[in-house]
Amino acid sequence: MSTAEIPRHGIATVCLSGTLEDKLTAAAAAGFDGVEIFENDLVCSPASPARIGGLCAELGLSVDLYQPFRDFEAVPPDVLAANLRRAERKFDVMEQLGADTMLVCSTVSPDAVDDDDLAAEQLHLLAERAAARGLRIAYEALAWGRFVDTYDHSWRIVRRADHPALGVCLDSFHVLSRGSDPAGIRVIPGEKIFFLQLADAPKLHMDVLQWSRHHRLFPGQGSFDLAGFVGTVLGTGYAGPLSLEVFNDVFRQADPRRAAVDAMRSLLALREPLDGDTLPPAPELSGHAFTELAVDEAAEPVLAGALGALGFTHTGRHRSKPVQLWEQRDARILLNSAPREHARDGGADVTALAVESSDPVASARRAESLLSPVLPRETGADEAALSSVAAPDGTAVFFCRTGEAAPGSWREDFSPTGNATVAGTGITGTDHVSLTQPFDNFDEAALFYRSVLGLRPEQATEFAAPFGLVRSRAVSDDSARVRIALTVARLRRGDWAPRVPSPQHVAFTSDDAIACAAALRERGAPLLEIPGNYYDDLDARLAPPGELLATLREHSVLYDRDETGAFLHFYTDVLGGRVFFEVVQRLDGYTGYGANNAPVRMAAHRHPHA
Amino acid sequence: MSTAEIPRHGIATVCLSGTLEDKLTAAAAAGFDGVEIFENDLVCSPASPARIGGLCAELGLSVDLYQPFRDFEAVPPDVLAANLRRAERKFDVMEQLGADTMLVCSTVSPDAVDDDDLAAEQLHLLAERAAARGLRIAYEALAWGRFVDTYDHSWRIVRRADHPALGVCLDSFHVLSRGSDPAGIRVIPGEKIFFLQLADAPKLHMDVLQWSRHHRLFPGQGSFDLAGFVGTVLGTGYAGPLSLEVFNDVFRQADPRRAAVDAMRSLLALREPLDGDTLPPAPELSGHAFTELAVDEAAEPVLAGALGALGFTHTGRHRSKPVQLWEQRDARILLNSAPREHARDGGADVTALAVESSDPVASARRAESLLSPVLPRETGADEAALSSVAAPDGTAVFFCRTGEAAPGSWREDFSPTGNATVAGTGITGTDHVSLTQPFDNFDEAALFYRSVLGLRPEQATEFAAPFGLVRSRAVSDDSARVRIALTVARLRRGDWAPRVPSPQHVAFTSDDAIACAAALRERGAPLLEIPGNYYDDLDARLAPPGELLATLREHSVLYDRDETGAFLHFYTDVLGGRVFFEVVQRLDGYTGYGANNAPVRMAAHRHPHA
């Protein structure tokens, strides 16, 4: 695709929170080329349509669509007359705005009749009125339209109406939510597709109207095949914008400046398989290099003590910053005690995760192309220039190469402590990092890790935890060498309850979790006690062999089993207010995270010494 | 019904947030007689079943049910053997807990077959095992059971199994969500109904499992006919507890101590039509007596100035407190400038609403019987002893009689200022008070006003507002002389946006809203400007007569029309941080609140001088 043919990027104002002026400013700042003006946003604005049109022009935004116009077609003559009057009033607005296309949704009105000929005849009339004013009508089948609820039906009516100012509007949600095959779009001439609206969505079993109005997502955040859909539409010769129309309860109240960036990132990532070389490809990732914790004065000795008890050795001191490197085999933790301007919830936080990249510079370039904020970093003269970007929750993501011989390795920034290596406890590396997300940024984070790092998001799951519903979604590379688990309290998280942390944790790998737990207990590591009731229930549910059960119980090791394999894991107490560690052992290719056991852990973290 | 027959009150631990210990303590404090122990709550507890049983006994709670046991019946022999083993492990737990009844839900397992005889045979076997240990099995049809999904089907299987230790469990949600007629319950002998679980729910069009797991409510908060249902079940001779089983995402994370009181209130109110004289009847309410605003030093002159501009006269001074009485006809506002310990969001808050009761003392007694906190009040020697209770959001609700001759009228607490009465502006009284609720207390508030004041809740509605989704529900007496509108931000409310208040307001009545608006503008009242776009859209949508439209536009008066009538209304700016006033005129019996116009008001309150 040549540059001239690159589709323009659009967004409906209904995607974003705030007043119309907030929304337009945010869309322009994120780099959108055009907007769909959602009627209610205009109605609420103190600025006249002409002034809004002028503001769009100043911001470099074209007004690509005015929407929605509802319940027009297939009605008795008196209703038609009223509807045409209503349309003319809206044409007045569009002229002032500088919008040339109006979206007309298929009717849901009790006044309408099931008569395609009548619908076509009346839409022809509307298109005639529009054409007289230099405007066009894009007719869209709502998935819950009363008579017209599929794109092919809307196209049959548009073809029958046969007016140059009448075409269809295709909306990926309305097509894909019904399970319609988009292949049939290929019979529609591209110039008769007047507009293309894009939305992703999670698979939900619910009323399609409620699904559409509350749970749409930006492309790449849900489970629709948007790339296939857009490819089919572009194949018709459609040359209009790729325009997002996402109704989402979270985005409706989130900062529109961030949501607009998230939206633009979704379009850039969506275009990658279509346009080829628009983005630097995602270099292969081969593991977790290190995880950095910021610690305050009180938390530092707690974390250092715990790492020592876990069998880590304090091997390095940063050459210019108050940062300790702790290692055990391929598991590495940095403790950073530099004062911070914006400490989050506690005295210890996960502030950075570092992944091994086959090409750190290319990883950072890709991140930047996908609108990730590149983090400034003060680097000493002989220190590695580490590339890092900010994830949506503020966590720094570093791209690095740890291999001793690798030039520019981050390890060169550390001078050896000379400490004798502690006898290890069987921890071999990092399995995953688990980050509790701010409420507004959960779906944004999944898209960030998917698009920027090239990781694959799993389906989101929800579970009832002791202090409220928790949603969880993991992302990992195809070889599962980099795993990040994202969680969020679905509503809030038991504000009433004291000592309920909003925790983050690092999970280490072990080849023998039980031996590791035994060794750690021996060393006095602050391990989390698991209630006996858990093991009684485990016995009833999964009936592990009696000896295994006794051992699990003795060492407070949890167990899970599913169709992919089995899982042994155990936890430390919460350390320094917010952070804890986990040790996991995956058997027979188990791919999960022991989510069934998470409520037990959460309750136990409230009762550490019960 | 004699005292001996009054059903016991129970609650499932899954209704409440926290650890099992939090839940049990909260249930006991709210006065419940017994609990259903939800398995996951026990599994997460560090206390052994015996210790939990002991704790329940100490707290005066019987353990009425252990639940749930899933996927037992109609399976091949090997699965049956495993299921019986699993059941025996749970019987062990029940013995320790002191629970004699186990809930078995109809199967959803892929291992099961559609064979009622086999299900009955295997349930008989399970009952035999239970009986051998002095336990009983209550079999429940889940609304989404694979083969058994109605109560009559579960009863046919129980009858066929024919074992004294096997009965049915009836759950109002599973029966009423499917639209089943509960009349058929009358054929079940009361002694074969082993347990009765109660939950209300709003009418929702969604997957019944998701509806059940996330949106159940306490009786009286939703739209099911729970009184009819319970009456039918009690008519069979059922003598077990009335036990709440409510899965609700909000309650799951709300303070369990408050939620348990809300739950108990729901049962007390539910029993009223069944038991007759358990509660003092709700006296008739005949209007709003006054609304009290707490004002700080900065807000006081702003509010006083606004009231003056609205045509109110400062008529009285409280004899012992810094409280001003402002009046216009039957509209009365108190401005209370006493320092407050817990000021809410702004310099001005609605802190009390007062309703005219035909018997204030009886109103207060009823409120107390329904577990409403009675508010302490320092009363001077010759002052009226005003009865007041706290609503869930902390607003004081006063019951009073304003009529000049009424003995003990609250007006006697005010000495006249002697101010000359300002020429009124056509405000005649109070139409409604609108209170933004704390997120956790929205459904609790609807039940409070319904049960304590005897008001009728309307269906909750949701609308997309500029800074997020808003849910709204009004309560009113049958003659609509007392109206209270409750609103809540469905998720959060645009924390990112500065100057977005979480507002409260008082709406006054007028017989001529347009003349009133004209008079107020003349007097320099701080009225809210409504954008011209609103009127252009109103013209397109509802086509009011041209002259009316011009007048509405001139005076920033909003308009609504529906099948019940028409509505004219206008607003002031937000005053003192959080409070504003509205003037409304209802035409032809209009019953709504102009919800269509609320987003326009919300955007305009962000842009007061645009």
Side-chain angles (χ1 to χ4, degrees):
Chain A
M1 184 176 280
S2 76
T3 311
E5 288 166 342
I6 286 180
R8 300 168 62 254
H9 297 131
I11 187 167
T13 55
V14 76
C15 301
L16 303 172
S17 183
T19 63
L20 183 55
E21 295 78 352
D22 293 326
K23 295 169 185 226
L24 295 173
T25 310
F32 281 93
D33 304 304
V35 289
E36 308 173 30
I37 300 275
F38 188 69
E39 181 164 283
N40 287 20
D41 289 325
L42 181 69
V43 167
C44 289
S45 170
S48 69
R51 199 164 137 202
I52 293 296
L55 175 62
C56 288
E58 283 166 34
L59 291 167
L61 294 168
S62 56
V63 181
D64 295 327
L65 192 73
Y66 185 75
Q67 61 118 325
F69 192 80
R70 299 188 190 278
D71 295 334
F72 173 77
E73 76 281 17
V75 290
D78 58 324
V79 180
L80 177 65
N83 289 351
L84 285 169
R85 176 186 181 280
R86 180 158 60 97
E88 293 283 0
R89 295 288 77 74
K90 297 303 174 185
F91 292 161
D92 296 344
V93 169
M94 291 170 64
E95 282 180 344
Q96 284 193 62
L97 269 177
D100 70 352
T101 306
M102 180 165 86
L103 176 71
V104 174
C105 302
S106 62
T107 188
V108 299
S109 169
D111 289 332
V113 295
D114 185 9
D115 182 337
D116 285 3
D117 284 333
L118 186 63
E121 183 188 314
Q122 295 182 347
L123 284 165
H124 184 103
L125 193 59
L126 181 66
E128 193 67 26
R129 297 280 194 102
R133 301 173 69 159
L135 306 175
R136 313 191 306 167
I137 302 298
Y139 181 58
E140 174 184 67
L142 297 178
W144 56 90
R146 185 160 172 222
F147 304 115
V148 178
D149 56 9
T150 59
Y151 75 85
D152 47 309
H153 195 173
S154 65
W155 165 235
R156 285 199 303 277
I157 289 174
V158 165
R159 198 172 44 179
R160 195 167 307 180
D162 191 25
H163 192 288
L166 180 69
V168 293
C169 172
L170 297 177
D171 178 313
S172 61
F173 182 88
H174 291 300
V175 176
L176 300 174
S177 65
R178 297 185 47 100
S180 297
D181 182 356
I185 291 171
R186 290 176 300 173
V187 305
I188 310 176
E191 72 272 12
K192 292 302 276 185
I193 302 176
F194 279 10
F195 211 75
L196 174 60
Q197 293 178 316
L198 297 176
D200 202 342
K203 283 207 173 69
L204 293 174
H205 298 283
M206 64 187 303
D207 175 65
V208 68
L209 188 149
Q210 297 299 322
W211 186 17
S212 172
R213 293 269 170 88
H214 298 284
H215 301 285
R216 290 185 177 209
L217 291 169
F218 295 127
Q221 295 177 338
S223 53
F224 289 164
D225 174 16
L226 266 294
F229 179 85
V230 172
T232 302
V233 175
L234 294 180
T236 66
Y238 170 75
L242 304 182
S243 191
L244 299 166
E245 189 194 34
V246 170
F247 305 88
N248 179 291
D249 292 347
V250 176
F251 302 160
R252 269 194 196 286
Q253 54 80 56
D255 188 329
R257 293 158 293 198
R258 292 196 57 153
V261 170
D262 183 28
M264 179 57 88
R265 180 180 297 135
S266 81
L267 284 181
L268 296 174
L270 175 65
R271 281 180 39 207
E272 185 173 29
L274 301 167
D275 300 354
D277 54 359
T278 50
L279 292 175
E284 193 186 0
L285 303 182
S286 57
H288 292 266
F290 63 82
T291 309
E292 181 170 333
L293 311 182
V295 285
D296 67 14
E297 231 168 65
E300 196 247 77
V302 176
L303 269 295
L307 287 170
L310 289 169
F312 281 70
T313 304
H314 177 198
T315 56
R317 273 189 210 92
H318 196 277
R319 296 179 189 280
S320 64
K321 296 171 193 156
V323 180
Q324 304 173 8
L325 167 61
W326 289 76
E327 297 188 78
Q328 180 170 186
R329 295 274 300 277
D330 288 329
R332 300 176 201 96
I333 296 287
L334 305 188
L335 295 185
N336 186 336
S337 50
R340 289 182 296 160
E341 229 174 290
H342 303 289
R344 284 189 279 190
D345 286 3
D349 275 325
V350 174
T351 47
L353 53 90
V355 292
E356 303 282 359
S357 166
S358 61
D359 185 344
V361 173
S363 286
R365 267 212 318 272
R366 178 180 175 85
E368 205 171 356
S369 305
L370 282 161
L371 312 178
S372 312
V374 174
L375 293 172
R377 199 166 167 84
E378 293 160 29
T379 309
D382 57 348
E383 290 172 17
L386 273 178
S387 306
S388 80
V389 296
D393 67 352
T395 303
V397 176
F398 287 90
F399 302 104
C400 34
R401 277 189 296 190
T402 302
E404 298 288 344
S409 167
W410 61 273
R411 300 190 59 138
E412 293 170 11
D413 297 348
F414 288 83
S415 55
T417 56
N419 290 341
T421 300
V422 174
T425 55
I427 286 172
T428 54
T430 300
D431 184 83
H432 65 276
V433 180
S434 175
L435 300 172
T436 304
Q437 298 297 295
F439 181 77
D440 287 2
N441 308 120
F442 185 71
D443 293 306
E444 180 187 354
L447 177 62
F448 169 87
Y449 288 109
R450 174 184 203 152
S451 60
V452 172
L453 274 71
L455 302 179
R456 191 173 34 78
E458 297 172 16
Q459 285 283 354
T461 59
E462 276 186 4
F463 58 90
F467 302 98
L469 214 63
V470 172
R471 178 173 289 180
S472 168
R473 191 173 194 186
V475 294
S476 66
D477 69 306
D478 287 333
S479 321
R481 290 177 298 186
V482 173
R483 286 184 163 104
I484 300 162
L486 307 169
T487 65
V488 69
R490 186 67 188 79
L491 294 180
R492 304 193 306 184
R493 187 185 158 85
D495 293 351
W496 63 271
R499 295 195 23 245
V500 178
S502 173
Q504 304 172 307
H505 80 270
V506 184
F508 302 118
T509 50
S510 168
D511 297 332
D512 185 343
I514 290 173
C516 183
L520 295 188
R521 199 161 297 268
E522 188 76 16
R523 297 173 63 91
L527 300 188
L528 183 69
E529 294 290 340
I530 299 301
N533 298 336
Y534 169 78
Y535 296 98
D536 295 341
D537 180 63
L538 185 62
D539 181 27
R541 275 193 298 127
L542 299 181
E547 201 177 329
L548 174 61
L549 184 69
T551 310
L552 295 172
R553 191 191 293 264
E554 180 188 348
H555 295 295
S556 277
V557 174
L558 297 104
Y559 181 79
D560 191 30
R561 196 170 68 209
D562 65 15
E563 64 290 350
T564 69
F567 191 53
L568 299 174
H569 60 140
F570 63 90
Y571 302 100
T572 68
D573 292 337
V574 174
L575 305 164
R578 188 173 184 203
V579 171
F580 64 93
F581 299 111
E582 180 182 10
V583 176
V584 312
Q585 181 182 4
R586 295 175 182 275
L587 296 166
D588 310 320
Y590 177 91
T591 59
Y593 296 82
N596 285 338
N597 297 329
V600 177
R601 183 249 298 162
M602 290 176 181
H605 271 153
R606 175 108 192 279
H607 276 308
H609 305 296
Chain B
M1 186 174 281
S2 76
T3 311
E5 288 165 343
I6 286 180
R8 300 169 60 256
H9 298 132
I11 186 166
T13 55
V14 75
C15 301
L16 302 172
S17 183
T19 64
L20 182 54
E21 295 79 353
D22 293 326
K23 295 170 186 225
L24 296 174
T25 310
F32 281 94
D33 305 302
V35 290
E36 308 173 32
I37 300 275
F38 189 68
E39 179 164 286
N40 286 21
D41 289 325
L42 180 70
V43 166
C44 288
S45 170
S48 69
R51 198 164 139 203
I52 292 296
L55 175 61
C56 288
E58 282 166 35
L59 290 168
L61 294 168
S62 56
V63 182
D64 296 327
L65 192 73
Y66 185 75
Q67 62 119 324
F69 192 80
R70 297 187 190 281
D71 295 336
F72 173 78
E73 76 282 16
V75 290
D78 58 324
V79 180
L80 177 66
N83 288 352
L84 285 170
R85 175 185 182 281
R86 181 159 58 97
E88 292 284 0
R89 295 289 75 77
K90 296 303 175 186
F91 293 161
D92 296 343
V93 169
M94 291 170 64
E95 282 180 345
Q96 285 193 64
L97 268 177
D100 70 353
T101 306
M102 182 166 85
L103 176 72
V104 173
C105 302
S106 62
T107 188
V108 299
S109 169
D111 289 332
V113 296
D114 186 8
D115 182 337
D116 285 2
D117 284 332
L118 187 62
E121 183 188 314
Q122 296 183 347
L123 284 166
H124 184 104
L125 193 57
L126 181 65
E128 192 68 27
R129 298 281 193 103
R133 301 173 69 158
L135 306 175
R136 314 192 305 168
I137 301 297
Y139 182 58
E140 174 185 68
L142 296 178
W144 55 91
R146 187 161 171 222
F147 305 116
V148 177
D149 56 7
T150 59
Y151 74 86
D152 46 309
H153 195 173
S154 65
W155 165 236
R156 284 199 303 277
I157 289 175
V158 164
R159 199 173 41 177
R160 195 166 309 181
D162 190 24
H163 193 288
L166 181 68
V168 294
C169 173
L170 297 178
D171 178 313
S172 62
F173 181 88
H174 292 301
V175 177
L176 300 174
S177 65
R178 297 184 48 101
S180 297
D181 182 355
I185 290 172
R186 290 176 299 173
V187 305
I188 311 177
E191 70 274 12
K192 293 302 276 185
I193 301 176
F194 279 10
F195 210 78
L196 174 61
Q197 294 179 315
L198 298 176
D200 202 344
K203 283 208 174 69
L204 293 174
H205 298 282
M206 65 187 305
D207 176 64
V208 69
L209 189 149
Q210 297 300 320
W211 186 16
S212 173
R213 293 269 171 89
H214 299 284
H215 301 286
R216 290 185 178 208
L217 291 169
F218 294 127
Q221 295 176 338
S223 52
F224 289 164
D225 174 15
L226 266 293
F229 181 82
V230 172
T232 301
V233 176
L234 293 180
T236 65
Y238 170 74
L242 303 182
S243 191
L244 298 166
E245 189 194 34
V246 170
F247 305 89
N248 178 292
D249 292 349
V250 176
F251 303 160
R252 269 194 196 288
Q253 54 80 55
D255 189 329
R257 293 159 293 198
R258 291 195 57 152
V261 170
D262 184 27
M264 179 56 87
R265 182 180 296 136
S266 80
L267 284 182
L268 296 173
L270 176 65
R271 281 181 38 207
E272 185 173 29
L274 301 167
D275 300 354
D277 54 358
T278 52
L279 291 175
E284 193 186 359
L285 303 181
S286 58
H288 292 266
F290 63 81
T291 310
E292 180 169 335
L293 311 182
V295 286
D296 67 14
E297 229 168 66
E300 196 246 80
V302 175
L303 269 294
L307 287 170
L310 289 169
F312 281 69
T313 304
H314 176 198
T315 56
R317 274 188 209 92
H318 196 277
R319 295 181 191 278
S320 64
K321 296 171 194 157
V323 180
Q324 303 173 8
L325 167 61
W326 289 76
E327 298 187 77
Q328 180 170 184
R329 293 273 301 276
D330 289 329
R332 299 176 202 95
I333 297 287
L334 305 189
L335 295 184
N336 185 336
S337 50
R340 288 182 296 160
E341 229 175 291
H342 302 288
R344 284 188 282 191
D345 288 4
D349 274 326
V350 174
T351 48
L353 53 90
V355 293
E356 303 282 359
S357 165
S358 62
D359 185 345
V361 173
S363 287
R365 267 211 319 272
R366 178 180 175 85
E368 204 171 355
S369 305
L370 284 162
L371 311 178
S372 311
V374 174
L375 293 172
R377 200 165 166 84
E378 294 161 30
T379 310
D382 57 348
E383 289 172 19
L386 273 178
S387 305
S388 81
V389 296
D393 67 351
T395 303
V397 177
F398 287 90
F399 302 105
C400 35
R401 277 189 295 190
T402 302
E404 298 289 340
S409 167
W410 60 274
R411 300 188 61 138
E412 293 170 13
D413 297 347
F414 288 83
S415 54
T417 57
N419 289 341
T421 302
V422 175
T425 54
I427 285 173
T428 55
T430 300
D431 184 82
H432 65 275
V433 179
S434 175
L435 300 172
T436 303
Q437 297 298 296
F439 180 77
D440 287 2
N441 309 120
F442 185 71
D443 293 307
E444 180 188 353
L447 177 63
F448 169 86
Y449 287 110
R450 175 185 204 150
S451 60
V452 172
L453 275 69
L455 303 179
R456 194 173 31 79
E458 296 173 15
Q459 285 282 355
T461 58
E462 278 187 3
F463 58 90
F467 303 98
L469 215 62
V470 171
R471 178 173 288 180
S472 169
R473 191 173 194 186
V475 292
S476 67
D477 69 307
D478 285 334
S479 320
R481 291 176 296 185
V482 172
R483 285 184 164 105
I484 300 162
L486 307 169
T487 65
V488 69
R490 186 67 189 80
L491 295 180
R492 303 195 306 185
R493 188 186 158 86
D495 293 350
W496 63 271
R499 294 198 22 247
V500 177
S502 172
Q504 305 172 307
H505 80 272
V506 184
F508 302 118
T509 49
S510 168
D511 297 332
D512 185 342
I514 290 173
C516 182
L520 296 188
R521 197 162 299 269
E522 189 75 15
R523 296 172 63 90
L527 301 188
L528 184 69
E529 295 289 339
I530 299 301
N533 298 335
Y534 168 79
Y535 296 98
D536 295 342
D537 180 64
L538 185 63
D539 181 27
R541 274 193 298 126
L542 299 180
E547 202 176 327
L548 174 61
L549 184 69
T551 310
L552 295 172
R553 190 191 294 264
E554 181 188 347
H555 294 296
S556 277
V557 173
L558 297 103
Y559 181 80
D560 191 28
R561 197 169 68 209
D562 65 16
E563 63 290 351
T564 68
F567 191 53
L568 300 174
H569 60 140
F570 62 91
Y571 302 101
T572 68
D573 291 338
V574 174
L575 305 164
R578 188 174 184 203
V579 171
F580 63 93
F581 299 110
E582 181 181 10
V583 175
V584 312
Q585 181 183 5
R586 296 175 182 275
L587 296 166
D588 310 319
Y590 178 90
T591 60
Y593 296 82
N596 285 338
N597 297 329
V600 177
R601 181 251 296 164
M602 291 176 180
H605 271 154
R606 175 109 193 279
H607 276 309
H609 306 296

